[in-house]
Amino acid sequence: MNLTLKIWRQKNANDKGKMVDYKISDVSPDMSFLEMLDVLNEQLINSGDEPVAFDHDCREGICGMCSLYINGEAHGPDRGVTTCQLHMRMFKDGDTIYIEPFRAKAFPVIKDLVVDRSAFDRIQHAGGFISVNTSGNTIDANAIPVNKQDADTAFEAATCIGCGACVASCKNSSAMLFVGAKVSQFALLPQGQVEATDRVMNMVKQMDEEGFGNCTNTGACEVECPKGISLENIARMNSEYLKASFKG
Amino acid sequence: MSGILNSSIGRKFAMALSALFLMFFLLQHFAINILSVFSPDAFNEASHFMGTFWAVQFILQPILIIGIVFHFTMGIILELKNRRARQVKYAKNNGNANSTWMSRNMIWTGLLIEAFLIVHMSQLWWHEITVKYISPMKEDPTRYYHELVEHFESPVIVGIYIVAFVFLALHLLHGFNSAFQSIGANNKYTKALKGVSKVYSIGIPVGFIFIALYHHFAH
């Protein structure tokens, strides 16, 4: 396959940045999108140019590190996959592909396609945990009976890999699907009840402070989420937040 | 509870509550207007009651005005905040791949509805206020039907009316379900609610358009 790539190039956080065109040939349809970028980078290095910086780690769809806004969609046109799982067979010979970083004020660009998603870490630090004494005599989690449906729903919420596709896809750059999932995974389990009030209040406060937008329920996040995290989690976070606000 | 309107979820909740209130009002407004098609007397009676009963005039009417102004103002504030959350736009964004046009354009459909409301209120509501409180006239309980018929004589007014209600349908097609999601109701009833949402969002605006066309052509 021969492709034209339009890639966002930005030297550093302070650079203005611009879209730059690249031609790439002999791309195998069996390559992953990141492998295609590896080939491009080899080409750039061989010709003495600066390679394109992009995030990646496990390359098997579980770490949430790869990002990229490809042809107007987070992680590209395929569904339920991260960019490392997106294959070049999703494109046609002669296609022009736009490759941009995840855009949000709360996700500033560090270089080229690499963005700083540490805002998510700070939201997690604000309440995305349970305080369990691990110094010995820890009660086995399995010893506490949990309704099967709740356990399954909590597990589905916990499959969020924090990649940020929800923020990138949302027209408002809202992080509510991420925060909703992180609140839900504890809200549904007995272990999460003790700190439930503080958790949701603190995580939402941190989310607002990071500069993410407000959810307007377009549902784009749910469609583009590589793990299929449901909008139901946002509704659960909303009701948890309201309960917590009335409590005090 | 302190500072709930300063949080993103609190603002969403307030937006949803005002929307639910306005949707309830719209249903009530429709229920009275549709009477005009079946029985001028019943329409006059209902309008006379709404226009003269003190609780409607001095409690519900101010609440309604506050609700409209709040929903409109908060909608604009949220839109501006949301725009600030993404300072560099995408060179290519395929919004149709993951969301409906209605959901992405609530601000525009909302602004057009608001523009219609200004015209609508200056023509009908202001007339009511004038004849009741500014230069009071003796109440004629049969005047409402004639005024309605007269209002819909103009093809321009009927045209504006139709366009406004098409935009209202587009606004409601996203807004109805969205309001329930915002107040935290996403459960086993969500599917049924989506059905109710479609019936309400299309049925009510089409009903209002029908009333306008009926009176335009029937007299």
Side-chain angles (χ1 to χ4, degrees):
Chain A
M1 295 164 81
N2 297 319
L3 302 164
T4 303
L5 306 175
K6 287 180 177 289
I7 303 179
W8 181 260
R9 301 301 312 259
Q10 185 174 333
K11 280 195 183 80
N12 53 50
N14 301 321
D15 182 31
K16 211 168 161 236
K18 60 174 193 245
M19 298 298 285
V20 178
D21 290 6
Y22 296 96
K23 296 272 181 202
I24 184 167
S25 48
D26 298 327
V27 173
S28 159
D30 297 327
M31 279 179 182
S32 80
F33 200 85
L34 296 187
E35 283 165 346
M36 183 275 293
L37 286 179
D38 290 338
V39 172
L40 173 75
N41 275 347
E42 272 176 28
Q43 204 175 292
L44 290 174
I45 291 165
N46 287 338
S47 60
D49 291 325
E50 179 83 10
V52 178
F54 61 92
D55 268 325
H56 59 101
D57 192 0
C58 75
R59 296 208 178 198
E60 51 189 13
I62 53 172
C63 75
M65 198 60 207
C66 57
S67 53
L68 306 187
Y69 210 71
I70 302 162
N71 271 353
E73 287 183 77
H75 298 298
D78 208 355
R79 290 286 169 260
V81 296
T82 50
T83 300
C84 61
Q85 298 168 299
L86 176 70
H87 285 91
M88 294 313 295
R89 66 182 80 99
M90 292 297 293
F91 302 92
K92 291 194 298 287
D93 184 36
D95 272 0
T96 297
I97 306 174
Y98 283 75
I99 310 169
E100 298 174 75
F102 280 0
R103 296 265 185 225
K105 188 183 157 205
F107 285 172
V109 174
I110 296 170
K111 185 180 181 182
D112 295 337
L113 303 170
V114 179
V115 296
D116 179 359
R117 285 170 281 179
S118 57
F120 271 14
D121 298 337
R122 291 188 289 275
I123 294 172
Q124 281 286 65
H125 295 166
F129 52 81
I130 54 166
S131 305
V132 178
N133 188 348
T134 53
S135 61
N137 300 325
T138 310
I139 300 169
D140 190 331
N142 289 325
I144 304 168
V146 179
N147 172 309
K148 174 80 168 98
Q149 201 183 336
D150 287 346
D152 287 349
T153 314
F155 184 80
E156 279 164 22
T159 59
C160 166
I161 53 176
C163 65
C166 46
V167 173
S169 310
C170 176
K171 79 176 187 67
N172 312 317
S173 305
S174 168
M176 287 205 189
L177 193 67
F178 168 76
V179 184
K182 297 303 174 194
V183 166
S184 286
Q185 75 182 59
F186 295 121
L188 289 156
L189 299 176
Q191 292 92 332
Q193 301 311 310
V194 184
E195 292 153 307
T197 304
D198 287 345
R199 175 179 305 111
V200 70
M201 295 302 281
N202 292 340
M203 290 180 84
V204 169
K205 183 168 172 270
Q206 188 64 37
M207 171 180 81
D208 290 348
E209 280 173 13
E210 296 292 347
F212 292 105
N214 297 275
C215 170
T216 52
N217 308 319
T218 67
C221 53
E222 181 184 55
V223 174
E224 300 292 350
C225 175
K227 296 297 161 188
I229 302 292
S230 158
L231 279 187
E232 200 183 305
N233 292 295
I234 300 184
R236 191 173 297 107
M237 171 179 65
N238 293 346
S239 61
E240 287 287 317
Y241 184 84
L242 292 168
K243 267 193 277 173
S245 302
F246 284 107
K247 266 191 200 169
Chain B
M1 267 308 279
S2 63
I4 194 168
L5 278 183
N6 289 325
S7 83
S8 51
I9 296 181
R11 284 190 286 259
K12 246 168 90 103
F13 186 68
M15 197 67 186
L17 280 190
S18 58
L20 290 170
F21 171 70
L22 293 178
M23 287 192 288
F24 182 75
F25 162 74
L26 196 68
L27 188 66
Q28 170 266 316
H29 195 330
F30 175 73
I32 293 177
N33 280 24
I34 195 74
L35 289 175
S36 68
V37 173
F38 302 109
S39 161
D41 291 342
F43 175 73
N44 277 330
E45 206 174 310
S47 303
H48 176 67
F49 170 76
M50 296 300 281
T52 51
F53 185 50
W54 65 270
V56 174
Q57 287 296 301
F58 302 113
I59 299 176
L60 295 181
Q61 185 165 259
I63 293 176
L64 174 65
I65 293 168
I66 291 167
I68 293 173
V69 171
F70 178 84
H71 193 73
F72 173 67
T73 313
M74 188 57 102
I76 291 177
I77 292 172
L78 286 174
E79 177 69 17
L80 294 174
K81 274 183 171 290
N82 292 341
R83 283 178 184 224
R84 279 201 295 274
R86 176 167 296 137
Q87 286 163 336
V88 181
K89 285 190 174 166
Y90 289 113
K92 183 168 181 176
N93 187 32
N94 188 5
N96 285 328
N98 50 39
S99 54
T100 62
W101 183 92
M102 285 81 83
S103 71
R104 298 192 305 274
N105 291 283
M106 291 296 274
I107 185 68
W108 301 115
T109 50
L111 284 172
L112 278 156
I113 294 162
E114 195 61 33
F116 167 74
L117 276 180
I118 292 168
V119 174
H120 186 64
M121 288 179 85
S122 66
Q123 287 183 325
L124 299 175
W125 178 78
W126 186 245
H127 167 72
E128 287 297 312
I129 296 294
T130 309
V131 298
K132 276 190 207 113
Y133 309 113
I134 296 174
S135 43
M137 288 162 66
K138 196 175 174 299
E139 170 70 356
D140 169 13
T142 62
R143 71 183 166 92
Y144 298 97
Y145 183 76
H146 300 298
E147 283 175 6
L148 182 85
V149 170
E150 203 179 307
H151 185 66
F152 289 127
E153 268 174 12
S154 158
V156 177
I157 285 180
V158 173
I160 292 172
Y161 210 80
I162 292 171
V163 172
F165 277 100
V166 168
F167 280 107
L168 180 68
L170 295 171
H171 198 75
L172 289 170
L173 276 167
H174 176 69
F176 189 102
N177 270 323
S178 183
F180 284 95
Q181 164 82 10
S182 290
I183 59 168
N186 190 328
N187 47 40
K188 60 183 173 179
Y189 304 111
T190 303
K191 215 174 161 192
L193 203 63
K194 280 191 176 158
V196 176
S197 160
K198 282 216 169 74
V199 171
Y200 180 95
S201 309
I202 296 169
I204 296 287
V206 166
F208 272 107
I209 291 172
F210 166 75
I211 295 166
L213 289 174
Y214 173 82
H215 289 296
H216 184 70
F217 291 109
H219 305 285

